[in-house]
Amino acid sequence: MHFGKRNIRSAGRNSGSVEVTLPVELAVLEGIACRLYLRDGLAPEIVLQPDLQAIMPIFEKLWDLLRLGLEGIDEIGDFAEADYGFGLFRAAKLGTMPSLAYADALLIHRGLGLEVTPHMLEAFARIVESMATVAAGRLGLSNDLVALFGNQVAALVSGEMIGARDAFAHSLASQSSREDAGLCRNAPLSTDTWRRAQSALTGVFDQFRSWGNDPAAFTKERELWYRARRFEAHTSMSHGAAGANQEI
């Protein structure tokens, strides 16, 4: 990932101290130890390799909480790094694998014991969305539904609308977040809040399982939703045009 060019400054020719000014996008790495490499050759490169293993327990903790929230459905097993594509920042899509971002885990790690901020909550939702997508596959949902299930779980527990989904999917997430107002948003790392979310999560899964058992029902419900939305839009435009004619 290219972030542009930055200058290297020295504190003095004989001091051996060199400062590399990083792009603002990498401010999330502040305080993280980095290994330094020089790749020599025709186009020499200085490579900074951040040591991010210390934040892996954040991913493991969130998986354990999701596992608790879904235990009324079935066992989802242990967290496995091989199920995800990892990067400093979250990729929109890495092949067929859900994406996890170290930057999201860093935001949560730095917020431990502090008030939950909007940025921390969004990071929490993004991680949960990817993990719930993997969990959905382990619970037997079809590949056509796993990503949508992950999005609904993230909305249910965080109250945040994330992910690039179609309008029907957003309507489901909006309904979940409106009715339950983010079941875990005030204490996203609390086992008590996830335990209280079990019933709602089971209800969401039951809906998706019924769609998986009857794909035609899912297709029909989606088509009816879009038809109703087009009707509402047409009615709204008709009323607007009528009102404009009356004013004229």
Side-chain angles (χ1 to χ4, degrees):
M1 187 177 294
H2 181 65
F3 288 100
K5 297 180 179 179
R6 295 295 186 277
N7 295 327
I8 297 177
R9 295 191 294 272
S10 173
R13 291 186 178 181
N14 299 320
S15 70
S17 177
V18 175
E19 179 180 304
V20 180
T21 303
L22 297 177
V24 67
E25 293 91 344
L26 298 180
V28 68
L29 292 176
E30 183 180 355
I32 298 296
C34 295
R35 298 182 183 90
L36 181 66
Y37 298 93
L38 175 62
R39 290 179 180 168
D40 205 353
L42 183 61
E45 294 179 313
I46 293 176
V47 179
L48 298 176
Q49 186 180 78
D51 183 3
L52 297 168
Q53 285 302 306
I55 62 170
M56 288 305 294
I58 293 294
F59 293 124
E60 294 167 358
K61 170 69 173 178
L62 284 173
W63 178 265
D64 287 342
L65 290 169
L66 178 64
R67 188 177 185 175
L68 172 63
L70 299 176
E71 72 175 9
I73 302 166
D74 205 346
E75 173 60 47
I76 62 172
D78 296 327
F79 175 70
E81 296 179 40
D83 290 332
Y84 308 91
F86 282 85
L88 180 57
F89 302 111
R90 191 180 193 227
K93 189 175 184 181
L94 288 175
T96 59
M97 303 174 71
S99 172
L100 289 177
Y102 290 111
D104 287 337
L106 278 168
L107 278 170
I108 295 172
H109 178 71
R110 287 171 176 160
L112 292 176
L114 303 176
E115 182 180 353
V116 179
T117 66
H119 289 306
M120 179 182 173
L121 198 59
E122 289 172 7
F124 164 71
R126 286 190 292 266
I127 293 175
V128 169
E129 181 188 35
S130 291
M131 289 186 170
T133 298
V134 170
R138 295 189 183 186
L139 292 171
L141 287 185
S142 67
N143 291 335
D144 294 336
L145 294 174
V146 293
L148 183 54
F149 177 76
N151 190 250
Q152 301 315 297
V153 170
L156 186 70
V157 298
S158 72
E160 296 296 309
M161 296 283 290
I162 61 168
R165 306 283 179 242
D166 63 22
F168 174 67
H170 272 300
S171 75
L172 294 177
S174 176
Q175 183 179 5
S176 296
S177 60
R178 182 174 60 252
E179 290 178 353
D180 298 291
L183 294 173
C184 304
R185 67 180 296 125
N186 294 324
L189 302 183
S190 166
T191 56
D192 289 338
T193 57
W194 278 89
R195 191 171 284 109
R196 287 194 292 270
Q198 286 177 347
S199 176
L201 289 170
T202 299
V204 170
F205 183 80
D206 287 343
Q207 174 66 77
F208 276 78
R209 180 160 48 191
S210 69
W211 284 336
N213 293 334
D214 186 3
F218 174 73
T219 300
K220 181 178 180 180
E221 184 170 340
R222 190 170 181 272
E223 289 177 351
L224 288 173
W225 184 88
Y226 274 105
R227 190 181 303 169
R229 191 178 75 151
R230 287 194 299 270
F231 177 77
E232 290 177 1
H234 178 74
T235 302
S236 177
M237 291 178 62
S238 299
H239 286 317
N245 291 333
Q246 289 177 359
E247 290 180 2
I248 292 174

